[in-house]
């Protein structure tokens, strides 16, 4: 079997102790997740509703599941009963649906707002101005079953480290802006989710609190 445990140790050894690892297990089988679990990892990220549902049903119940992919509103009801965090919220419509479904099952669901900062045109996420408008609108304040815990983003897929650094810095500065303006008194607004297999070493130098690493732990995905 692929050396999941050895890879996990290597990754953890390269992370500062105050940065949390979300092990991205999408497209990988349950026994890979169990290998990481036995090594102590408890936070896993998935990007497809059906896949995460099946894994949640069959794997230990103390796993914290993060949904990291683009989430359609009609899928929200399936994940809200057990999800620990929805990382990639990119519209008010989605936030409303999470509130509605979380209220039904009497839970508070943690979310991150996903920013679109990378140059790629195809990626999801809110522009900085759209994110400002969403927060300025204030409707999120009337959502007792949603807790906005911070921001998430993906840097451009490039070898240009300076560009990647700039994008992380843009996200970090934006975090400070909205923290000060809307969440100054809310300690739970503290997460900056950036950094993946190819750029997490840069991300942790640019104020990431949470990295999302798949390939470097579990190997290449077979789609
Ligand atoms: C797949 C995925 C990751 C993990 O990417 P790796 O390059 O395998 O580490 C991180 N974040 C998001 C949003 C993803 O979809």
């Amino acid at each position: 079997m692929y050396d999941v445990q050895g890879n996990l140790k290597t990754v953890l050894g390269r992370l500062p102790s105050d940065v949390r690892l979300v092990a991205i297990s999408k497209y990988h089988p349950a026994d890979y997740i169990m290998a990481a679990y036995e090594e102590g990892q408890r936070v896993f990220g998935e990007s497809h509703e059906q896949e995460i549902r099946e894994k949640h049903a069959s794997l230990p119940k103390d796993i914290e599941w993060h949904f990291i992919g683009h989430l359609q509103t009609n899928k929200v009801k399936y994940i809200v009963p057990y999800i620990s965090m929805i990382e990639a919220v990119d519209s008010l419509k989605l936030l409303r649906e999470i509130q509605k479904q979380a209220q039904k099952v009497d839970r508070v669901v943690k979310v991150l707002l996903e920013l679109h900062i990378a140059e790629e045109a195809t990626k999801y996420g809110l522009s900085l101005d759209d994110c400002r408008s969403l927060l300025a609108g204030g409707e999120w304040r009337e959502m007792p079953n949603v807790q906005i815990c911070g921001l998430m983003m993906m840097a451009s897929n490039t070898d240009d480290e300076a560009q990647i650094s700039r994008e992380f810095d843009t996200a970090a500065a934006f975090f400070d802006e909205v923290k000060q303006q809307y969440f100054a008194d809310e300690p739970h607004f503290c997460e900056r989710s950036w950094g993946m297999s190819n750029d997490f070493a840069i991300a942790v130098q640019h104020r990431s609190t949470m990295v999302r690493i798949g390939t470097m732990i579990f190997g290449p995905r077979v789609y």
Side-chain angles (χ1 to χ4, degrees):
M1 184 170 140
Y2 199 78
D3 186 15
V4 169
Q5 296 188 333
N7 294 337
L8 179 66
K9 279 187 200 156
T10 304
V11 168
L12 288 172
R14 291 173 56 185
L15 287 180
S17 58
D18 55 350
V19 173
R20 278 219 295 166
L21 170 65
V22 182
I24 304 301
S25 49
K26 63 190 185 194
Y27 295 100
H28 292 294
D31 55 343
Y32 278 38
I33 298 177
M34 277 315 293
Y37 180 91
E38 279 156 19
E39 202 54 45
Q41 181 65 25
R42 289 294 178 273
V43 189
F44 293 87
E46 292 275 340
S47 59
H48 292 92
E49 183 276 317
Q50 193 176 342
E51 184 177 355
I52 193 173
R53 188 195 323 182
E54 288 167 8
K55 286 174 173 169
H56 168 260
S58 69
L59 287 162
K61 292 298 171 267
D62 62 342
I63 288 179
E64 279 179 48
W65 294 102
H66 285 209
F67 198 88
I68 59 158
H70 180 67
L71 182 57
Q72 292 169 290
T73 47
N74 62 346
K75 301 283 172 63
V76 170
K77 59 176 174 289
Y78 300 120
I79 67 167
V80 150
Y82 64 84
I83 202 78
S84 169
M85 182 178 271
I86 298 176
E87 289 209 19
V89 172
D90 62 357
S91 71
L92 183 56
K93 186 174 164 225
L94 182 55
L95 216 49
R96 285 180 186 139
E97 182 65 14
I98 296 168
Q99 164 58 29
K100 181 176 157 194
Q101 299 300 336
Q103 188 167 28
K104 276 190 192 166
V105 293
D106 196 24
R107 293 196 67 210
V108 176
V109 173
K110 295 177 187 213
V111 306
L112 303 179
L113 299 177
E114 181 183 7
L115 301 177
H116 180 141
I117 290 173
E119 279 171 8
E120 282 109 67
T122 55
K123 284 191 180 153
Y124 294 104
L126 295 156
S127 70
L128 300 189
D129 275 339
D130 287 345
C131 190
R132 286 185 184 104
S133 308
L134 188 156
L135 290 168
E139 192 179 324
W140 57 276
R141 295 185 195 274
E142 318 297 316
M143 298 183 178
N145 300 80
V146 173
Q147 187 175 58
I148 301 177
C149 294
L151 305 174
M152 176 268 206
M153 56 82 79
M154 275 186 269
S156 293
N157 184 11
T158 171
D159 292 333
D160 182 348
E161 292 197 7
Q163 183 184 341
I164 294 170
S165 297
R166 274 196 306 277
E167 292 176 359
F168 290 149
D169 285 341
T170 298
F174 188 74
F175 176 92
D176 291 341
E177 175 189 323
V178 298
K179 172 80 182 168
Q180 196 211 337
Q181 209 166 346
Y182 298 103
F183 301 100
D185 299 324
E186 305 196 32
H188 62 260
F189 188 91
C190 62
E191 298 294 357
R192 295 178 292 273
S193 174
W194 46 82
M196 310 180 11
S197 291
N198 57 359
D199 60 15
F200 78 90
I202 307 172
V204 299
Q205 290 171 354
H206 296 266
R207 300 179 54 208
S208 170
T209 61
M210 194 186 270
V211 292
R212 307 178 309 268
I213 300 179
T215 308
M216 217 188 134
I217 299 169
F218 299 111
R221 289 177 283 275
V222 182
Y223 294 102

